[in-house]
Amino acid sequence: MRTFCIKTNNEDIINYLLNRIEEIDFENLVYSKNKFKIYQNVIIHYQGKVEEKFLDFLSSLITEVILNFYEEKLINQILSYNYFYFDNYERLQICDNCIEVVENEEELQSRKEMIQNAVLPYIREYKAMILEGFVNFRLKEYMSYLDNNVDTAVNQFIIEKEYNEFINLLKIYIESKVPECKILHLIYINGESILLDEDKNIVSISDNILNSKYLSDISFSSNDFALNTVLTLLPAKIEIHLIGEEDEFISTITQIFEGRVSVCKDCNICRTYRLLNNAKIK
């Protein structure tokens, strides 16, 4: 017979353990709940002969508990310790980003393996586990993994925050200015922009870096210059002729100019540039 005791004073964890043991209905298993000294104890007795099978069951059960009851808490602890300068609302957003990343099925399997790799040697050697202590001191690989994911989530949050601030600044700028022209046509094809004025004449997109005051990125892609030109012309209306799929650049234009933007996919201009593009491909 093999006996193992899980110690915790978290009633939710105790109820979870007891319910899961009942649901799984592992053969030759007897379990009970008792309080000794300062801890509540879930005591599991295995009366079978295949000890490795029992250890696999037990390690999977403990891994479930850690993922369900400790993971978000650990993420918040890392945020509070390493990124204390974010306010509570910002930390909540970052935590949500981090949880979204780790909810991926492949990531979940990876985390399970990390935890089980720590749990199995422990339960082979010892007969009891103080759950809180094990989580805090025995999960180095798993904690390193969470650290890296929090760092990634923080970087993502900062990029999104800077992007939103950039959009808001441009919106304020646009709202403070009188439009320079009535309408501007933006043909978007193969990830490149072509600008036409209200008379359907091509508008030159300046590639002069020194004059590009509104660019969002120092890489200066062709779309950065197109955005700079649109911001310089400040049209009252922008008609986007989308030859293909919408991407981040079109989304950015739409967010900056909001009500001034309309998207078209099948007008004379769209059809003309689609035919020209098809002829070019052939």
Side-chain angles (χ1 to χ4, degrees):
M1 185 175 76
R2 178 71 190 265
T3 300
F4 194 83
C5 177
I6 302 172
K7 298 174 177 288
T8 178
N9 284 325
N10 186 314
E11 285 295 332
D12 290 333
I13 291 177
I14 289 167
N15 291 332
Y16 182 88
L17 284 167
L18 296 175
N19 289 334
R20 286 296 288 141
I21 293 169
E22 182 70 27
E23 288 170 2
I24 296 170
D25 193 22
F26 195 79
E27 290 182 355
N28 301 310
L29 207 66
V30 178
Y31 60 94
S32 61
K33 182 186 84 166
N34 293 290
K35 183 170 184 179
F36 301 128
K37 296 184 180 179
I38 63 172
Y39 287 109
Q40 293 278 359
N41 298 266
V42 175
I43 304 163
I44 307 169
H45 303 278
Y46 176 62
Q47 299 171 327
K49 297 180 180 180
V50 190
E51 187 172 306
E52 278 302 312
K53 188 176 178 181
F54 168 67
L55 293 176
D56 285 340
F57 157 78
L58 187 57
S59 67
S60 294
L61 182 62
I62 293 170
T63 297
E64 273 186 42
V65 169
I66 291 170
L67 287 171
N68 289 332
F69 290 91
Y70 286 96
E71 186 162 82
E72 187 169 342
K73 180 181 176 183
L74 291 170
I75 289 169
N76 278 311
Q77 284 178 352
I78 293 167
L79 277 169
S80 296
Y81 185 78
N82 294 338
Y83 299 99
F84 56 86
Y85 44 84
F86 289 115
D87 63 34
N88 290 335
Y89 177 72
E90 290 172 329
R91 283 203 292 269
L92 182 62
Q93 285 186 298
I94 295 166
C95 184
D96 288 343
N97 287 345
C98 195
I99 290 168
E100 188 177 328
V101 170
V102 298
E103 278 180 346
N104 177 281
E105 187 63 35
E106 187 176 327
E107 296 289 332
L108 175 60
Q109 187 57 39
S110 176
R111 290 184 344 271
K112 282 182 177 178
E113 289 175 5
M114 288 177 200
I115 297 170
Q116 284 186 289
N117 287 342
V119 172
L120 265 173
Y122 186 92
I123 62 178
R124 282 197 181 102
E125 184 175 354
Y126 300 99
K127 294 182 179 180
M129 172 188 287
I130 300 173
L131 194 55
E132 190 85 17
F134 182 84
V135 170
N136 288 333
F137 301 108
R138 295 275 187 161
L139 294 174
K140 291 183 179 179
E141 184 184 8
Y142 174 63
M143 287 301 297
S144 176
Y145 168 91
L146 290 183
D147 261 324
N148 290 333
N149 273 281
V150 169
D151 288 344
T152 300
V154 167
N155 289 334
Q156 178 185 340
F157 172 78
I158 291 171
I159 290 168
E160 288 176 356
K161 184 179 179 182
E162 289 178 347
Y163 174 80
N164 289 331
E165 287 174 352
F166 167 72
I167 295 295
N168 288 331
L169 283 172
L170 291 181
K171 285 163 70 173
I172 292 169
Y173 168 78
I174 290 166
E175 289 168 5
S176 69
K177 299 292 183 181
V178 177
E180 296 289 332
C181 64
K182 291 181 180 179
I183 185 170
L184 191 68
H185 297 275
L186 191 155
I187 297 97
Y188 196 64
I189 184 167
N190 300 328
E192 299 288 334
S193 301
I194 300 169
L195 300 180
L196 305 180
D197 62 21
E198 57 188 301
D199 297 319
K200 311 297 192 302
N201 296 316
I202 291 178
V203 175
S204 175
I205 296 176
S206 172
D207 59 358
N208 186 339
I209 293 175
L210 295 176
N211 291 332
S212 301
K213 300 175 183 178
Y214 314 109
L215 292 178
S216 60
D217 193 283
I218 60 171
S219 61
F220 302 122
S221 70
S222 61
N223 285 329
D224 283 320
F225 294 114
L227 174 57
N228 183 70
T229 303
V230 175
L231 288 165
T232 301
L233 294 172
L234 282 178
K237 181 181 177 183
I238 301 173
E239 193 163 305
I240 297 175
H241 303 274
L242 200 56
I243 318 299
E245 298 298 320
E246 181 175 333
D247 61 12
E248 187 178 353
F249 174 67
I250 297 301
S251 175
T252 299
I253 290 282
T254 303
Q255 286 182 69
I256 292 171
F257 287 91
E258 289 188 313
R260 303 188 190 195
V261 174
S262 63
V263 178
C264 174
K265 294 185 178 181
D266 194 32
C267 67
N268 287 336
I269 294 176
C270 293
R271 288 191 288 272
T272 298
Y273 277 89
R274 190 175 290 113
L275 286 170
L276 289 171
N277 184 59
N278 291 338
K280 184 178 179 182
I281 293 172
K282 291 176 182 179

